[in-house]
Amino acid sequence: MTMRVEGYDFKVGELYLFSSDSPECLAEKCLWGIYDTTERGRVKLEVATRDLRMFTVNQLLDRGYHFVRPSTREELRDFCFNYGFFA
Amino acid sequence: MDRIMQEKVCSLVLAKILQELSAYYCQPGNRVYSYKRFYESTIRSLFNISYRTYMRDIRKKLPETNSLNLVHDVIEQYMVSRVFQRIDRFHFKRDELYVFSEMRTNDYPPSMWLYGRYYGTQSGAVVVGDLSRADGIILQQEGPLPVGYVYVRLASRQELADFMERQRNLSRTRVRAVEDMVLME
């Protein structure tokens, strides 16, 4: 279920999909990231990717991202294995 | 069946048991002589299982008391155990994470299960990658499934998340090792 990023109850270590404009959070247009912490009101992602190939670590979520939803099992699987391969 | 679904089914079964117990107690003079009898009729009708299966997989684990927590655990174990299938009849998907077991039932402790990604089948042997134990110890990067592991099921979302967590920890360890090497140089 998609929610607003502000005030969302994130779980550390969980994978989320973020979208700037689409409440549907379509996987292919989203930023995927593992929630780490919130610093001064900004979400910090331990690992993040847009294409499941290039991964960045310790990335602060851009303020432009307004929508978030938890990943599905299939998305978690794809992230998990691609991160294992390409990181 | 994922964890949330399992929990829902467990709750439904327990609710049904409670309902039947309450209805029975409402009759004047009724006393419960065997809680197992109540559990049996409800569980068998809800799961549609034979008497033989019930006796073999469930009955001996059920408590004689009205401890619904214990009943919950037994039902949960049964649900997990019955989704294991024989490897030779199983349709694998490449790169998917599976749980392998030597036994179908959950009497076999989960600590003895193996987690691995399906890569393919070679000469009848299942080839898996990132094969690891439940405690996270990686047994092999890629190779045939150890002999004896003849039952399999799809890993749940939680198991996938745990698997990912172990990968992340490994990744952190690797980064730290590289940093230490750079510092030493």
Side-chain angles (χ1 to χ4, degrees), chain B residues 28-77:
Chain B
N30 274 357
R31 285 179 58 200
V32 175
Y33 293 99
S34 170
Y35 282 99
K36 279 195 177 186
R37 280 283 170 87
F38 269 98
Y39 304 146
E40 176 188 337
S41 59
T42 311
I43 291 171
R44 277 189 60 197
S45 64
L46 286 178
F47 285 115
N48 192 23
I49 49 177
S50 68
Y51 182 69
R52 187 167 161 261
T53 308
Y54 173 79
M55 292 298 279
R56 187 191 61 202
D57 295 343
I58 300 178
R59 191 176 192 282
K60 61 176 185 246
K61 297 175 196 164
L62 283 172
E64 280 290 4
T65 62
N66 60 352
S67 167
L68 290 185
N69 280 342
L70 288 175
V71 179
H72 175 281
D73 291 348
V74 173
I75 296 166
E76 192 179 39
Q77 278 185 20

Side-chain angles (χ1 to χ4, degrees), chain A residues 11-79:
Chain A
K11 206 174 133 196
V12 176
E14 186 59 83
L15 176 68
Y16 295 97
L17 274 72
F18 299 90
S19 172
S20 54
D21 52 357
S22 164
E24 292 90 38
C25 282
L26 297 173
E28 57 272 24
K29 294 178 180 172
C30 277
L31 175 75
W32 304 36
I34 297 176
Y35 178 79
D36 182 11
T37 182
T38 302
E39 288 180 356
R40 294 180 205 143
R42 289 186 69 183
V43 169
K44 188 178 166 194
L45 302 172
E46 184 181 318
V47 186
T49 181
R50 288 197 139 277
D51 55 8
L52 292 179
R53 287 190 168 267
M54 299 292 289
F55 292 84
T56 52
V57 292
N58 295 330
Q59 179 184 333
L60 280 173
L61 185 70
D62 195 277
R63 288 195 193 279
Y65 287 98
H66 298 299
F67 303 102
V68 60
R69 69 168 170 85
S71 61
T72 64
R73 185 192 178 283
E74 283 66 33
E75 288 160 353
L76 180 65
R77 176 199 63 202
D78 293 343
F79 182 94

